Amino acid sequence: MTFGRSGAASVVLNVGGARYSLSRELLKDFPLRRVSRLHGCRSERDVLEVCDDYDHERNEYFFDRHSEAFGFILLYVRGHGKLRFAPRMCELSFYNEMIYWGLEGAHLEYCCQRRLDDRMSDTYTFYTAEEPGALGRDEARPGGAEAAPSRRWLERMRRTFEEPTSSLAAQILASVSVVFVIVSMVVLCASTLPDWRAAAADNRSLDDRSRYSAGPGREPSGIIEAICIGWFTAECIVRFIVSKNKCEFVKRPLNIIDLLAITPYYISVLMTVFTGENSQLQRAGVTLRVLRMMRIFWVIKLARHFIGLQTLGLTLKRCYREMVMLLVFICVAMAIFSALSQLLEHGLDLETSNKDFASIPAACWWVIISMTTVGYGDMYPITVPGRILGGVCVVSGIVLLALPITFIYHSFVQCYHELKFRSARYSRSLSAEFLN
């Protein structure tokens, strides 16, 4: 029986002077873990371990906490909106209130999570939950406690596959996945060597069957490729099963890349099965080679395990306006300088014209390699006005490329620190798991 005044149908929570009345039936399954713990208290000592004070006569529990923050949290757990920071309140203080009541940073909206990460990174502050087994986002909703074990298991599986630094098992799984990616890339690169192709041709002459025959490939490279594809396919299927939102899972760029890297193998197998060993196989040979070369997308899978690649992707996502602006600068300058160079090198004097600048599209190639200061030397101006224009083109390219780079650089640094800080938080939980 719950400790408290007998016969009382409800209890009162006094949080920083604000009073909230709750029925005893709702107390047991209340989404906030600290409040639901009151239902299991058997003595006044147990109650005082949960709250700061207790009035037996009025059956009132006192919590010396921020009342406005608790109001925001209470509205969220009752399903009346999304959890955001309370106005005019420090992000760290609000997060401290969340941990006290049993919530995590994952319950915040994404914009508020970024603000919290930035603030914690600036102050080098780390918070940990007071008790193990913090609730997930779904458990903090009404009725979530009934399916808590299954949801907790799914959340643990999801973190294991999606967040490589969240646990020791996730570290091992990520390491195995990286090994498969590296092995697959080594086999792909080695298969383009002349000696490798000659050995493969000799094997095909002995056994007139392609690597993608209906049965498993007899060559070692075919077996290795099949094993790698099997691992990536199983990993993708498991991650799809344990994902919270299936539609959002399909829309994620990394998952699309995984699909593009896996699908060509199965398409090439089906094409070989249906074309057989007749003349259609020669027409399908180019398509098969293109599909096999799409395995290069597997390199991008490493972005799941390395902060550097994640930082690059996040920077490009956040700086797409600056990237578009940079592209516009280059296109405008390329149109101007290509037209002028074509006129000065080819259009004014047809007898001594420079054949490399016979058209504006041909001059565009010279402009782009000059603006980026690459200068292959395959084409260059020979007239004095053309060389002067070339110097102006090089200087203009340096200036135009430098203008948006500053914004992209600052965004890259911010993204790197943000991802590094999140990785540090998961590493702390990993260290605790290893010690336990």
Side-chain angles (χ1 to χ4, degrees):
M1 180 178 180
T2 305
F3 175 79
R5 185 162 59 88
S6 59
S10 62
V11 297
V12 178
L13 305 181
N14 190 318
V15 182
R19 304 173 77 247
Y20 303 90
S21 179
L22 296 176
S23 63
R24 287 189 175 272
E25 290 76 10
L26 295 177
L27 193 63
K28 179 180 178 181
D29 297 328
F30 198 75
L32 295 179
R33 185 174 64 250
R34 180 170 289 273
V35 177
S36 62
R37 284 173 57 191
L38 293 173
H39 184 272
C41 295
R42 298 294 185 267
S43 64
E44 186 174 356
R45 181 180 178 180
D46 295 338
V47 171
L48 294 180
E49 290 180 355
V50 179
C51 61
D52 297 302
D53 199 2
Y54 171 68
D55 189 340
H56 186 273
E57 295 297 329
R58 293 186 298 179
N59 204 32
E60 186 171 354
Y61 300 88
F62 293 89
F63 297 87
D64 188 15
R65 310 301 298 186
H66 198 283
S67 58
E68 186 177 3
F70 180 76
F72 274 75
I73 294 174
L74 189 62
L75 287 175
Y76 168 71
V77 298
R78 286 180 171 175
H80 299 295
K82 301 177 180 180
L83 184 58
R84 296 186 176 91
F85 289 127
R88 299 179 302 278
M89 184 176 180
C90 175
E91 292 87 352
L92 299 180
S93 300
F94 188 86
Y95 184 50
N96 191 23
E97 295 293 323
M98 291 173 54
I99 294 178
Y100 178 83
W101 294 109
L103 299 182
E104 291 182 323
H107 295 91
L108 286 168
E109 282 295 291
Y110 179 71
C111 58
C112 293
Q113 290 185 33
R114 288 180 54 187
R115 285 176 53 190
L116 177 63
D117 290 338
D118 293 340
R119 186 62 183 271
M120 295 176 71
S121 179
D122 293 338
T123 57
Y124 298 98
T125 305
F126 294 92
Y127 287 95
T128 55
E130 295 181 349
E131 300 176 2
L135 296 176
R137 181 184 292 266
D138 295 331
E139 292 183 49
R141 294 294 187 181
E146 299 177 358
S150 60
R151 289 180 179 177
R152 188 180 294 111
W153 180 83
L154 286 176
E155 178 67 16
R156 185 175 301 174
M157 288 289 295
R158 186 192 66 80
R159 288 191 174 185
T160 300
F161 280 87
E162 295 287 351
E163 299 166 359
T165 58
S166 60
S167 65
L168 185 61
Q171 290 273 27
I172 297 174
L173 187 66
S175 301
V176 174
S177 182
V178 169
V179 170
F180 273 103
V181 172
I182 294 176
V183 170
S184 176
M185 290 297 99
V186 170
V187 173
L188 176 63
C189 296
S191 63
T192 59
L193 295 174
D195 296 338
W196 185 291
R197 290 200 299 265
D202 294 338
N203 292 335
R204 281 193 297 269
S205 62
L206 296 176
D207 184 5
D208 191 20
R209 303 181 67 175
S210 68
R211 292 181 59 191
Y212 296 102
S213 58
R218 295 187 179 183
E219 299 178 8
S221 59
I223 298 175
I224 295 175
E225 181 181 3
I227 294 175
C228 293
I229 286 290
W231 170 265
F232 295 141
T233 304
E235 181 185 12
C236 188
I237 292 175
V238 173
R239 289 176 46 250
F240 176 78
I241 293 175
V242 300
S243 62
K244 293 181 179 179
N245 190 329
K246 302 299 188 292
C247 295
E248 182 181 354
F249 177 87
V250 175
K251 295 178 182 178
R252 291 178 182 174
L254 285 179
N255 297 331
I256 295 175
I257 292 173
D258 290 345
L259 188 62
L260 291 177
I262 294 173
T263 305
Y265 176 83
Y266 296 103
I267 295 178
S268 60
V269 171
L270 293 176
M271 289 182 63
T272 304
V273 170
F274 287 116
T275 55
E277 300 179 358
N278 51 30
S279 59
Q280 295 182 2
L281 184 59
Q282 296 180 355
R283 293 195 297 269
V286 177
T287 305
L288 293 177
R289 287 193 293 270
V290 172
L291 293 175
R292 288 187 63 246
M293 197 54 62
M294 289 182 67
R295 289 187 300 170
I296 199 66
F297 285 114
W298 289 347
V299 176
I300 308 180
K301 287 173 64 65
L302 298 176
R304 298 184 184 276
H305 316 294
F306 294 100
I307 295 181
L309 293 177
Q310 296 175 12
T311 304
L312 177 61
L314 187 59
T315 303
L316 295 177
K317 178 181 179 181
R318 293 182 180 178
C319 297
Y320 71 93
R321 291 186 179 88
E322 288 77 8
M323 298 298 295
V324 172
M325 182 172 58
L326 178 62
L327 183 62
V328 170
F329 288 168
I330 294 177
C331 291
V332 171
M334 187 168 57
I336 295 175
F337 286 110
S338 60
L340 292 178
S341 62
Q342 192 275 338
L343 176 64
L344 295 176
E345 292 293 315
H346 187 270
L348 295 181
D349 191 355
L350 298 179
E351 295 181 357
T352 61
S353 62
N354 191 343
K355 301 301 182 181
D356 293 334
F357 294 82
S359 63
I360 291 180
C364 286
W365 169 250
W366 171 80
V367 171
I368 192 65
I369 62 176
S370 299
M371 291 183 64
T372 55
T373 66
V374 176
Y376 289 115
D378 54 343
M379 56 187 300
Y380 49 87
I382 58 176
T383 63
V384 174
R387 291 176 179 177
I388 295 176
L389 180 66
V392 176
C393 177
V394 172
V395 175
S396 301
I398 295 174
V399 174
L400 292 178
L401 292 176
L403 291 177
I405 291 298
T406 304
F407 299 99
I408 300 175
Y409 166 75
H410 287 296
S411 179
F412 180 86
V413 173
Q414 182 181 3
C415 293
Y416 175 74
H417 286 297
E418 179 181 335
L419 294 176
K420 187 176 180 181
F421 177 74
R422 291 182 182 179
S423 177
R425 286 201 299 178
Y426 287 125
S427 298
R428 287 173 59 87
S429 62
L430 173 62
S431 301
E433 178 182 345
F434 181 76
L435 292 176
N436 292 333

